[in-house]
């Protein structure tokens, strides 16, 4: 391809191999299907508690994690299923956690709000809004002190940017030039509270200026735009130049949690965002650029469907934790 | 229950309400009576609160008095403290008591101590409402019971209403109180119904209630544990064991008199609380009995049932096992009554 034509291609198409792009599409489907499976399990009474679904935010999760290896870390949030899958977790063990099984990632102790595969670099979903922000900075400090080149991506929501922890964390990451990328998934609301009401600046990326780091706002439903922003931020972090703040504008299709009656937003707004599905958009882009054809895309989706169906079966078959083990994992097991 | 006995200025009529509705009723009455009362918290407006306790109050009283805060617990609690210090009467709602951990600074270092540090020249009449406890499948960071934490702080008052009538009366009492009050509302009680007096009344802070009279064993319980203890007591009654059940209602200041009088009568004490057993509310109750004249009346070692030495787990069976349940109370109370402890 001529160089000019190359440059007109979206970043993701230029930058990633067709295999990597197909895998990204598969993960986006996997997230959507995991969330739908979780929702259905809840409706059928298979699980208790609550859950925060990330349907509509799949591009943000997957594109953000595109260049991360298992050595790189993420900190996640209460809306963390997508991050977990994007970072490489197995949906069977995720469902098992969801069903409270010993075979789940947290051995049934954590549930939806804490599902995380530590082995793939996920330092944890979090029940506390903003809880992961300083932890990510700590992970950045470790990498720097130990001379490693891994980076940490810190996912958080628009709501979290008003917690004190956000401001303290960004400041420290900046003064110590730590390899941390703060990724705000701005889905317009923290529960029912509009970011436009709760946050004093128009863009959350504007906050970066206060902490002397680059800040950028991108269309979080545009896979390529997110991947490019992360590419730049990760390069900066690996080069020892310090943290960045990336704001992915996106939207959650479902209510905040299972108890949301959606009284704070209109049906029109929800439908408008749903008509711009990030998965269909990415899929169309891949087809348009010849990465795959319709049949290929169908096959990717079908593979994700299989994985979810198998995952649910794996989860159902797993054993429950023993009641007598209620205090197991509170401390390290004493060495024998 | 005998909330009636502690009612001041109560209308004679009662109405059936849920615990959540009773709290909302108290807030509505307070907003109507006193223009300095403001409600603050995350999603308490249009959303109606994480547990639908504020409900439609924003429609009735407007956004200036039912204020949605950003997700900023430390700041939000602190703004409430500052407002209380200067003439407003804020009721700050935490979505879950767990998030009060983010606001410990303002509650513990500021609100609790300002009056004392300033030699009595300042007052912080703030109320913090905290949905508390386990049983909802929300796991370790959304299920804790922090009564003992806050109960350890001089300057704070800490209450745990267990019925709709108490919930309303104690919230109004908390608002009348010139000092900071923490109100723990058990999440599993929100839907519980009960008869609630209409109009304004207060249920005094610092007074426990004997909710079942018995002679064989005293069970001191709080919040949801009151109901589990009553259930256990009615099972035991069928066996001829008469348990006296005390609804603690206030963790700080503790009602020594009611507890001591009961133990002197029964000679046996079981404390039941949801917070972690070690260093919990039951430890303090045990100690106050052991230090009092009731000690000579004890016929058996004092027993405690509290939360497991673990965070609250997600798996529902583990979660149930992590806090006292009615059969646990029944079994320990039976052993105590039969002298098998
Ligand atoms: C410290 C704390 N405060 C409040 C909550 C309750 N809560 C859970 S998620 C949420 C909204 C978070 O909004 P945002 O950060 O934008 O993430 P989103 O849910 O939109 O993904 C709130 C208020 C919490 N879990 N932790
Ligand atoms: Mg949000």
């Amino acid at each position: 391809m001529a160089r000019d034509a190359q440059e007109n291609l979206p970043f993701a198409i230029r930058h990633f191999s067709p295999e990597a792009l197909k895998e990204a599409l598969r993960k986006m489907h996997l997230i959507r299907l995991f969330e739908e499976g979780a929702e259905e399990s809840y409706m059928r009474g298979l699980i208790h508690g609550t859950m925060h679904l990330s349907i509509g935010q799949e591009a943000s999760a997957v594109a953000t994690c595109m260049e991360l290896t298992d050595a790189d870390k993420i900190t996640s949030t209460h809306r963390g299923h997508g991050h977990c899958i994007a970072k490489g977790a197995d949906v069977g063990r995720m469902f098992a956690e969801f069903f409270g099984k010993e075979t789940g990632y947290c051995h049934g102790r954590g549930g939806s709000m804490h599902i995380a595969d530590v082995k793939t670099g996920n330092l944890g979903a979090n029940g506390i809004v903003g809880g992961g922000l300083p932890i990510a900075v700590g992970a950045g400090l470790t990498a720097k002190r130990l001379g490693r080149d891994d980076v940490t991506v810190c996912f958080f929501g628009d709501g979290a940017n008003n917690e004190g922890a956000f401001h303290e964390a960004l400041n420290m990451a900046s003064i110590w030039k730590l390899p941390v990328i703060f990724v705000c998934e701005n889905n317009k609301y923290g529960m029912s509270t509009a970011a436009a009401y709760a946050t004093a600046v128009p863009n959350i990326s504007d906050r970066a200026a206060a902490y002397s780091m680059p800040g950028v706002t991108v269309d979080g439903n545009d896979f390529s735009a997110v991947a490019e922003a992360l590419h730049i931020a990760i390069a900066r972090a690996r080069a020892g130049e310090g943290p960045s703040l990336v704001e992915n504008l996106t939207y959650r299709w479902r209510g905040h949690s299972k108890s949301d009656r959606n009284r704070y937003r209109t049906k029109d707004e929800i439908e408008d965002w749903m008509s711009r599905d990030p998965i269909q958009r990415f899929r169309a882009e891949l087809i348009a650029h010849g990465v795959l054809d319709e049949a290929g895309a169908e096959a990717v989706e079908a593979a994700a469907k299989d994985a979810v169906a198998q995952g649910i079966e794996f989860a159902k078959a797993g054993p429950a934790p023993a009641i007598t083990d209620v205090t197991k994992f509170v401390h390290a097991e004493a060495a024998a | 229950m005998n909330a009636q006995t502690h009612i001041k200025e109560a209308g004679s009529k009662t109405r059936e309400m849920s615990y959540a509705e009773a709290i909302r009723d108290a807030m509505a009455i307070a907003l109507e009576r006193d223009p300095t009362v403001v409600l603050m918290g995350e999603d308490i407006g249009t959303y109606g609160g994480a547990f639908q306790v504020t409900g439609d109050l924003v429609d009735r009283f407007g956004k200036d008095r039912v204020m949605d805060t950003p997700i900023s617990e430390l700041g939000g609690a602190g703004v409430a403290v500052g407002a209380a210090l200067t003439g407003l009467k804020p009721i700050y709602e935490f979505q879950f008591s767990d998030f009060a951990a983010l606001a410990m600074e303002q509650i513990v270092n500021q609100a609790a101590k300002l009056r004392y540090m300033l030699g009595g020249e300042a007052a912080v009449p703030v109320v913090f409402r905290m949905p508390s406890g386990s049983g909802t499948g929300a796991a370790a960071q959304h299920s804790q019971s922090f009564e003992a934490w806050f109960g350890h702080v001089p300057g704070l008052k800490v209450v745990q209403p267990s019925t709709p009538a108490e919930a309303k009366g104690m919230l109004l009492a908390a608002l009348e109180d010139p000092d900071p009050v923490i109100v723990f509302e058990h999440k599993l009680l929100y839907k519980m119904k009960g008869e609630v007096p209409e109009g304004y009344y207060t249920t005094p802070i610092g007074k426990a209630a004997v909710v079942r009279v018995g002679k064989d064993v005293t069970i001191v319980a709080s919040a949801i544990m009151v109901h589990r203890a009553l259930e256990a007591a009615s099972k035991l009654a069928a066996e001829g064991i008469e348990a006296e059940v005390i609804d603690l209602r206030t963790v700080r200041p503790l009602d020594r008199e009611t507890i001591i009088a009961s133990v002197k009568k029964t000679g046996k004490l079981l404390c039941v609380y949801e917070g972690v057993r070690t260093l919990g509310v039951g430890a303090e109750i045990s100690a106050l009995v052991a230090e009092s004249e009731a000690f000579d009346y004890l016929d058996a070692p004092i027993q405690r049932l509290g939360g497991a030495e673990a965070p609250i787990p997600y798996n529902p069976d583990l979660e149930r096992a992590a806090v006292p349940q009615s059969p646990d109370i029944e079994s320990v109370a039976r052993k105590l009554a039969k002298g098998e402890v």
Side-chain angles (χ1 to χ4, degrees):
Chain A
M1 215 178 294
R3 206 180 148 68
D4 276 0
Q6 266 278 350
E7 276 171 5
N8 286 332
L9 288 175
F11 168 83
I13 305 291
R14 273 186 279 135
H15 190 73
F16 299 113
S17 71
E19 273 54 52
L21 292 168
K22 281 183 220 169
E23 175 58 12
L25 180 63
R26 192 187 70 90
K27 279 185 173 165
M28 283 165 75
H29 278 299
L30 206 51
I31 294 171
R32 175 77 50 94
L33 293 160
F34 179 90
E35 301 288 46
E36 287 170 354
E39 192 170 37
E40 201 195 311
S41 308
Y42 181 87
M43 302 297 187
R44 288 171 47 206
L46 290 174
I47 60 136
H48 77 155
T50 189
M51 71 188 81
H52 306 90
L53 303 175
S54 67
I55 296 177
Q57 305 186 181
E58 296 88 349
S60 168
V62 176
T64 295
C65 293
M66 223 27 212
E67 289 191 30
L68 302 181
T69 70
D70 283 0
D72 297 318
K73 310 291 187 286
I74 64 167
T75 59
S76 175
T77 69
H78 58 284
R79 203 174 302 288
H81 305 159
H83 309 149
C84 195
I85 291 171
K87 196 69 176 54
D90 166 58
V91 291
R93 292 197 61 195
M94 289 179 67
F95 273 118
E97 186 55 38
F98 212 62
F99 292 0
K101 298 300 182 73
E102 188 65 44
T103 42
Y105 274 119
C106 318
H107 302 281
R109 304 317 194 270
S112 163
M113 248 185 299
H114 303 285
I115 300 179
D117 178 12
V118 176
K119 296 210 169 58
T120 53
N122 186 345
L123 301 178
N126 214 309
I128 301 300
V129 168
L133 280 141
I135 294 175
V137 177
L141 179 66
T142 301
K144 184 164 177 169
R145 270 308 146 264
L146 300 184
R148 300 194 313 231
D149 78 342
D150 50 272
V151 302
T152 300
V153 164
C154 173
F155 284 105
F156 61 101
D158 50 282
N161 103 95
N162 293 315
E163 288 281 16
F166 166 87
H167 298 270
E168 297 180 24
L170 265 72
N171 186 56
M172 283 186 277
S174 182
I175 63 171
W176 295 323
K177 285 201 183 318
L178 298 178
V180 183
I181 299 101
F182 297 97
V183 175
C184 181
E185 296 188 298
N186 181 351
N187 56 11
K188 290 173 68 93
Y189 301 93
M191 218 157 140
S192 70
T193 306
Y197 161 80
T199 302
V201 286
N203 303 303
I204 286 156
S205 64
D206 296 345
R207 303 266 206 218
Y211 304 105
S212 301
M213 67 176 78
V216 58
T217 299
V218 299
D219 177 348
N221 287 351
D222 177 349
F223 180 92
S224 192
V226 174
E228 184 164 18
L230 263 292
H231 176 73
I232 294 164
I234 290 170
R236 175 177 148 86
R238 289 210 207 279
E241 290 162 21
S244 305
L245 172 58
V246 177
E247 176 182 17
N248 297 340
L249 296 179
T250 182
Y251 198 78
R252 65 168 156 72
W253 292 8
R254 295 294 193 268
H256 166 72
S257 67
K258 296 322 290 177
S259 57
D260 189 347
R261 290 177 295 170
N262 277 318
R263 286 198 303 196
Y264 51 89
R265 54 183 191 173
T266 63
K267 211 163 162 265
D268 281 352
E269 180 183 287
I270 300 171
E271 278 168 5
D272 178 46
W273 281 89
M274 286 178 69
S275 71
R276 293 177 282 130
D277 180 348
I279 302 184
Q280 291 310 324
R281 183 167 165 186
F282 183 53
R283 183 170 164 148
E285 198 170 9
L286 294 189
I287 292 172
H289 293 288
V291 175
L292 39 57
D293 56 14
E294 279 293 346
E298 289 300 323
V300 166
E301 185 173 355
K305 266 195 184 126
D306 280 351
V308 165
Q310 280 171 29
I312 291 176
E313 289 316 308
F314 168 83
K316 283 184 182 160
I323 299 296
T324 47
D325 280 346
V326 72
T327 59
K328 192 176 171 186
F329 307 123
V330 176
H331 292 290
E333 307 261 282
Chain B
M1 249 173 238
N2 67 348
Q4 293 281 8
T5 57
H6 299 296
I7 288 166
K8 178 168 94 183
E9 295 175 43
S12 50
K13 280 186 20 207
T14 66
R15 196 154 62 81
E16 193 188 60
M17 276 184 218
S18 72
Y19 187 93
E21 284 162 352
I23 296 165
R24 187 182 318 140
D25 191 36
M27 291 192 286
I29 290 171
L31 285 161
E32 256 155 26
R33 280 170 64 105
D34 182 350
T36 65
V37 170
V38 289
L39 312 187
M40 299 174 64
E42 293 160 18
D43 305 286
I44 65 167
T46 311
Y47 196 91
F51 292 96
Q52 296 302 311
V53 178
T54 46
D56 63 351
L57 290 179
V58 71
D59 303 327
R60 292 161 64 188
F61 297 96
K63 289 183 175 176
D64 291 339
R65 301 194 67 200
V66 182
M67 293 175 63
D68 274 332
T69 60
I71 309 175
S72 308
E73 289 79 9
L74 173 62
V79 171
V81 170
L85 189 62
T86 48
L88 292 183
K89 284 203 169 165
I91 304 180
Y92 183 88
E93 173 183 300
F94 286 92
Q95 288 197 346
F96 287 76
S97 63
D98 311 65
F99 311 152
L102 283 79
M104 281 309 254
E105 199 287 298
Q106 285 294 324
I107 302 173
V108 174
N109 291 331
Q110 310 296 342
K113 298 175 172 57
L114 272 162
R115 178 190 291 279
Y116 187 85
M117 294 187 298
L118 303 190
E121 298 295 324
V124 186
V126 66
V127 177
F128 294 110
R129 292 185 36 242
M130 302 195 186
S132 173
S134 66
T136 65
Q141 296 172 332
H142 286 73
S143 305
Q144 299 172 87
S145 298
F146 282 162
E147 302 80 50
W149 276 31
F150 291 104
H152 196 64
V153 182
L156 298 180
K157 290 178 182 159
V158 180
V159 302
Q160 287 183 283
S162 73
T163 65
E166 280 180 18
K168 177 176 169 183
M170 295 198 95
L171 182 55
L172 289 171
L175 265 175
E176 267 190 16
D177 200 282
D179 291 310
V181 180
I182 314 260
V183 184
F184 285 104
E185 300 165 0
H186 201 289
K187 284 166 261 174
L188 295 184
L189 293 176
Y190 278 134
K191 295 211 165 89
M192 177 197 164
K193 299 242 167 163
E195 286 300 318
V196 176
E198 289 186 347
Y200 187 88
Y201 68 94
T202 57
T203 305
I205 295 172
K207 279 301 291 169
V210 177
V211 292
R212 188 183 197 288
V213 177
K215 61 177 180 16
D216 298 324
V217 52
T218 298
I219 306 176
V220 179
S222 51
I224 189 89
M225 295 303 158
V226 174
H227 304 283
R228 294 184 186 160
L230 286 169
E231 198 185 321
S234 69
K235 296 248 171 71
L236 293 168
E239 303 170 16
I241 297 169
E242 292 301 333
E244 178 145 302
V245 179
I246 296 179
D247 177 355
L248 187 63
R249 303 207 297 204
T250 304
V251 166
R252 185 182 191 95
L254 278 174
D255 178 359
R256 302 165 49 87
E257 288 68 34
T258 302
I259 297 167
I260 289 169
S262 177
V263 175
K264 281 166 75 174
K265 178 170 68 167
T266 65
K268 287 160 182 171
L269 172 63
L270 167 61
C271 307
V272 190
Y273 50 108
E274 183 164 344
V276 173
R277 185 171 178 277
T278 300
L279 292 167
V281 173
E284 188 56 37
I285 294 169
S286 305
L288 85 82
V289 167
E291 287 167 349
S292 77
E293 77 263 24
F295 178 76
D296 287 332
Y297 294 76
L298 284 173
D299 295 329
I302 297 169
Q303 298 295 299
R304 284 182 288 156
L305 275 171
E309 308 296 318
I312 298 294
Y314 167 71
N315 173 287
D317 295 326
L318 283 185
E319 184 182 18
R320 265 190 296 279
V323 299
Q325 302 295 335
S326 184
D328 306 321
I329 302 171
E330 192 187 318
S331 138
V332 176
R334 180 186 293 115
K335 281 191 198 143
L336 256 182
K338 289 188 171 172
E340 291 168 5
V341 176

